[in-house]
mmCIF file of all heavy atoms in Angstrom:
data_model
loop_
_atom_site.group_PDB
_atom_site.id
_atom_site.type_symbol
_atom_site.label_atom_id
_atom_site.label_comp_id
_atom_site.label_asym_id
_atom_site.label_seq_id
_atom_site.Cartn_x
_atom_site.Cartn_y
_atom_site.Cartn_z
ATOM 1 N N GLY C 29 11.663 -14.474 7.624
ATOM 2 C CA GLY C 29 10.902 -15.541 6.978
ATOM 3 C C GLY C 29 11.141 -15.547 5.483
ATOM 4 O O GLY C 29 11.349 -16.589 4.854
ATOM 5 N N LEU C 30 11.149 -14.358 4.906
ATOM 6 C CA LEU C 30 11.368 -14.247 3.469
ATOM 7 C C LEU C 30 12.789 -14.671 3.104
ATOM 8 O O LEU C 30 13.006 -15.393 2.136
ATOM 9 C CB LEU C 30 11.132 -12.806 3.017
ATOM 10 C CG LEU C 30 11.196 -12.596 1.513
ATOM 11 C CD1 LEU C 30 9.942 -13.147 0.858
ATOM 12 C CD2 LEU C 30 11.356 -11.130 1.167
ATOM 13 N N LEU C 31 13.749 -14.214 3.930
ATOM 14 C CA LEU C 31 15.154 -14.530 3.646
ATOM 15 C C LEU C 31 15.382 -16.038 3.690
ATOM 16 O O LEU C 31 16.008 -16.620 2.801
ATOM 17 C CB LEU C 31 16.058 -13.830 4.672
ATOM 18 C CG LEU C 31 17.542 -13.954 4.434
ATOM 19 C CD1 LEU C 31 17.921 -13.234 3.143
ATOM 20 C CD2 LEU C 31 18.333 -13.366 5.600
ATOM 21 N N VAL C 32 14.849 -16.685 4.726
ATOM 22 C CA VAL C 32 15.014 -18.132 4.834
ATOM 23 C C VAL C 32 14.319 -18.827 3.658
ATOM 24 O O VAL C 32 14.876 -19.727 3.030
ATOM 25 C CB VAL C 32 14.456 -18.650 6.177
ATOM 26 C CG1 VAL C 32 14.498 -20.172 6.229
ATOM 27 C CG2 VAL C 32 15.232 -18.060 7.338
ATOM 28 N N SER C 33 13.114 -18.357 3.349
ATOM 29 C CA SER C 33 12.382 -18.976 2.244
ATOM 30 C C SER C 33 13.117 -18.833 0.925
ATOM 31 O O SER C 33 13.015 -19.683 0.049
ATOM 32 C CB SER C 33 10.991 -18.354 2.113
ATOM 33 O OG SER C 33 10.273 -18.556 3.299
ATOM 34 N N SER C 34 13.860 -17.736 0.795
ATOM 35 C CA SER C 34 14.517 -17.491 -0.488
ATOM 36 C C SER C 34 15.625 -18.505 -0.764
ATOM 37 O O SER C 34 16.077 -18.620 -1.891
ATOM 38 C CB SER C 34 15.068 -16.066 -0.556
ATOM 39 O OG SER C 34 16.173 -15.915 0.299
ATOM 40 N N VAL C 35 16.075 -19.234 0.258
ATOM 41 C CA VAL C 35 17.098 -20.247 0.016
ATOM 42 C C VAL C 35 16.530 -21.663 0.160
ATOM 43 O O VAL C 35 17.261 -22.625 0.343
ATOM 44 C CB VAL C 35 18.339 -20.072 0.938
ATOM 45 C CG1 VAL C 35 19.076 -18.800 0.567
ATOM 46 C CG2 VAL C 35 17.935 -20.045 2.407
ATOM 47 N N ARG C 36 15.189 -21.776 0.087
ATOM 48 C CA ARG C 36 14.573 -23.106 0.127
ATOM 49 C C ARG C 36 13.947 -23.432 -1.231
ATOM 50 O O ARG C 36 13.714 -22.534 -2.038
ATOM 51 C CB ARG C 36 13.484 -23.160 1.210
ATOM 52 C CG ARG C 36 13.983 -22.819 2.592
ATOM 53 C CD ARG C 36 12.862 -22.916 3.617
ATOM 54 N NE ARG C 36 12.586 -24.302 3.996
ATOM 55 C CZ ARG C 36 11.418 -24.712 4.476
ATOM 56 N NH1 ARG C 36 10.414 -23.864 4.609
ATOM 57 N NH2 ARG C 36 11.245 -25.976 4.814
ATOM 58 N N THR C 37 13.640 -24.697 -1.445
ATOM 59 C CA THR C 37 13.008 -25.072 -2.710
ATOM 60 C C THR C 37 11.511 -24.773 -2.624
ATOM 61 O O THR C 37 10.942 -24.765 -1.527
ATOM 62 C CB THR C 37 13.173 -26.573 -3.002
ATOM 63 O OG1 THR C 37 12.403 -27.295 -2.024
ATOM 64 C CG2 THR C 37 14.617 -27.005 -2.926
ATOM 65 N N PRO C 38 10.867 -24.517 -3.768
ATOM 66 C CA PRO C 38 9.450 -24.175 -3.735
ATOM 67 C C PRO C 38 8.615 -25.248 -3.038
ATOM 68 O O PRO C 38 7.663 -24.944 -2.328
ATOM 69 C CB PRO C 38 9.069 -24.040 -5.205
ATOM 70 C CG PRO C 38 10.256 -24.384 -6.008
ATOM 71 C CD PRO C 38 11.437 -24.455 -5.100
ATOM 72 N N TYR C 39 8.976 -26.503 -3.225
ATOM 73 C CA TYR C 39 8.196 -27.573 -2.620
ATOM 74 C C TYR C 39 8.332 -27.533 -1.103
ATOM 75 O O TYR C 39 7.343 -27.660 -0.379
ATOM 76 C CB TYR C 39 8.638 -28.937 -3.166
ATOM 77 C CG TYR C 39 7.744 -30.067 -2.710
ATOM 78 C CD1 TYR C 39 6.458 -30.195 -3.208
ATOM 79 C CD2 TYR C 39 8.187 -30.996 -1.764
ATOM 80 C CE1 TYR C 39 5.624 -31.211 -2.779
ATOM 81 C CE2 TYR C 39 7.367 -32.021 -1.331
ATOM 82 C CZ TYR C 39 6.083 -32.132 -1.839
ATOM 83 O OH TYR C 39 5.246 -33.125 -1.427
ATOM 84 N N ASP C 40 9.568 -27.303 -0.620
ATOM 85 C CA ASP C 40 9.768 -27.194 0.825
ATOM 86 C C ASP C 40 8.973 -26.019 1.392
ATOM 87 O O ASP C 40 8.368 -26.119 2.455
ATOM 88 C CB ASP C 40 11.260 -27.000 1.145
ATOM 89 C CG ASP C 40 12.028 -28.306 1.025
ATOM 90 O OD1 ASP C 40 11.369 -29.360 0.940
ATOM 91 O OD2 ASP C 40 13.269 -28.270 1.009
ATOM 92 N N ILE C 41 8.995 -24.896 0.674
ATOM 93 C CA ILE C 41 8.320 -23.704 1.174
ATOM 94 C C ILE C 41 6.844 -23.970 1.406
ATOM 95 O O ILE C 41 6.270 -23.558 2.409
ATOM 96 C CB ILE C 41 8.468 -22.522 0.181
ATOM 97 C CG1 ILE C 41 9.931 -22.096 0.056
ATOM 98 C CG2 ILE C 41 7.640 -21.321 0.644
ATOM 99 C CD1 ILE C 41 10.160 -21.026 -0.984
ATOM 100 N N THR C 42 6.228 -24.709 0.464
ATOM 101 C CA THR C 42 4.786 -24.884 0.585
ATOM 102 C C THR C 42 4.412 -26.012 1.532
ATOM 103 O O THR C 42 3.271 -26.102 1.944
ATOM 104 C CB THR C 42 4.146 -25.189 -0.783
ATOM 105 O OG1 THR C 42 4.801 -26.325 -1.323
ATOM 106 C CG2 THR C 42 4.281 -24.015 -1.719
ATOM 107 N N THR C 43 5.371 -26.872 1.857
ATOM 108 C CA THR C 43 4.991 -28.013 2.682
ATOM 109 C C THR C 43 5.362 -27.852 4.152
ATOM 110 O O THR C 43 4.834 -28.575 4.993
ATOM 111 C CB THR C 43 5.600 -29.316 2.144
ATOM 112 O OG1 THR C 43 6.966 -29.063 1.831
ATOM 113 C CG2 THR C 43 4.870 -29.783 0.906
ATOM 114 N N SER C 44 6.273 -26.914 4.467
ATOM 115 C CA SER C 44 6.559 -26.702 5.881
ATOM 116 C C SER C 44 6.864 -25.235 6.131
ATOM 117 O O SER C 44 7.265 -24.510 5.221
ATOM 118 C CB SER C 44 7.754 -27.560 6.319
ATOM 119 O OG SER C 44 8.925 -27.154 5.643
ATOM 120 N N GLY C 45 6.632 -24.782 7.364
ATOM 121 C CA GLY C 45 6.858 -23.385 7.727
ATOM 122 C C GLY C 45 8.317 -22.997 7.512
ATOM 123 O O GLY C 45 9.208 -23.845 7.573
ATOM 124 N N TRP C 46 8.562 -21.705 7.258
ATOM 125 C CA TRP C 46 9.919 -21.271 6.910
ATOM 126 C C TRP C 46 10.925 -21.581 7.999
ATOM 127 O O TRP C 46 12.099 -21.820 7.736
ATOM 128 C CB TRP C 46 9.946 -19.776 6.563
ATOM 129 C CG TRP C 46 9.461 -18.877 7.665
ATOM 130 C CD1 TRP C 46 8.202 -18.417 7.847
ATOM 131 C CD2 TRP C 46 10.231 -18.341 8.744
ATOM 132 N NE1 TRP C 46 8.120 -17.625 8.963
ATOM 133 C CE2 TRP C 46 9.354 -17.561 9.536
ATOM 134 C CE3 TRP C 46 11.579 -18.428 9.127
ATOM 135 C CZ2 TRP C 46 9.778 -16.885 10.683
ATOM 136 C CZ3 TRP C 46 11.996 -17.752 10.264
ATOM 137 C CH2 TRP C 46 11.097 -16.992 11.032
ATOM 138 N N TRP C 47 10.471 -21.591 9.278
ATOM 139 C CA TRP C 47 11.408 -21.827 10.372
ATOM 140 C C TRP C 47 12.007 -23.226 10.328
ATOM 141 O O TRP C 47 13.073 -23.456 10.888
ATOM 142 C CB TRP C 47 10.735 -21.554 11.721
ATOM 143 C CG TRP C 47 9.454 -22.326 11.888
ATOM 144 C CD1 TRP C 47 9.317 -23.546 12.446
ATOM 145 C CD2 TRP C 47 8.156 -21.918 11.437
ATOM 146 N NE1 TRP C 47 8.007 -23.952 12.380
ATOM 147 C CE2 TRP C 47 7.268 -22.966 11.773
ATOM 148 C CE3 TRP C 47 7.657 -20.792 10.789
ATOM 149 C CZ2 TRP C 47 5.915 -22.914 11.475
ATOM 150 C CZ3 TRP C 47 6.306 -20.736 10.506
ATOM 151 C CH2 TRP C 47 5.448 -21.787 10.845
ATOM 152 N N HIS C 48 11.360 -24.131 9.603
ATOM 153 C CA HIS C 48 11.954 -25.467 9.447
ATOM 154 C C HIS C 48 13.244 -25.382 8.652
ATOM 155 O O HIS C 48 14.104 -26.263 8.753
ATOM 156 C CB HIS C 48 10.978 -26.416 8.751
ATOM 157 C CG HIS C 48 9.833 -26.818 9.628
ATOM 158 N ND1 HIS C 48 9.887 -27.898 10.466
ATOM 159 C CD2 HIS C 48 8.617 -26.253 9.829
ATOM 160 C CE1 HIS C 48 8.745 -27.983 11.137
ATOM 161 N NE2 HIS C 48 7.956 -26.994 10.760
ATOM 162 N N GLY C 49 13.371 -24.328 7.838
ATOM 163 C CA GLY C 49 14.599 -24.140 7.077
ATOM 164 C C GLY C 49 15.800 -23.892 7.977
ATOM 165 O O GLY C 49 16.949 -24.089 7.578
ATOM 166 N N LEU C 50 15.526 -23.431 9.220
ATOM 167 C CA LEU C 50 16.622 -23.145 10.144
ATOM 168 C C LEU C 50 17.041 -24.378 10.926
ATOM 169 O O LEU C 50 17.999 -24.350 11.683
ATOM 170 C CB LEU C 50 16.188 -22.048 11.132
ATOM 171 C CG LEU C 50 15.870 -20.690 10.511
ATOM 172 C CD1 LEU C 50 15.286 -19.746 11.552
ATOM 173 C CD2 LEU C 50 17.128 -20.098 9.899
ATOM 174 N N LEU C 51 16.250 -25.472 10.776
ATOM 175 C CA LEU C 51 16.548 -26.681 11.533
ATOM 176 C C LEU C 51 17.174 -27.715 10.608
ATOM 177 O O LEU C 51 16.880 -27.745 9.411
ATOM 178 C CB LEU C 51 15.244 -27.258 12.119
ATOM 179 C CG LEU C 51 14.363 -26.260 12.894
ATOM 180 C CD1 LEU C 51 12.991 -26.871 13.191
ATOM 181 C CD2 LEU C 51 15.047 -25.849 14.181
#
Side-chain angles (χ1 to χ4, degrees):
Chain C
L30 186 74
L31 186 65
V32 174
S33 300
S34 71
V35 292
R36 302 181 78 204
T37 68
Y39 187 71
D40 283 347
I41 295 175
T42 56
T43 45
S44 64
W46 59 267
W47 54 92
H48 288 272
L50 297 173
L51 309 169

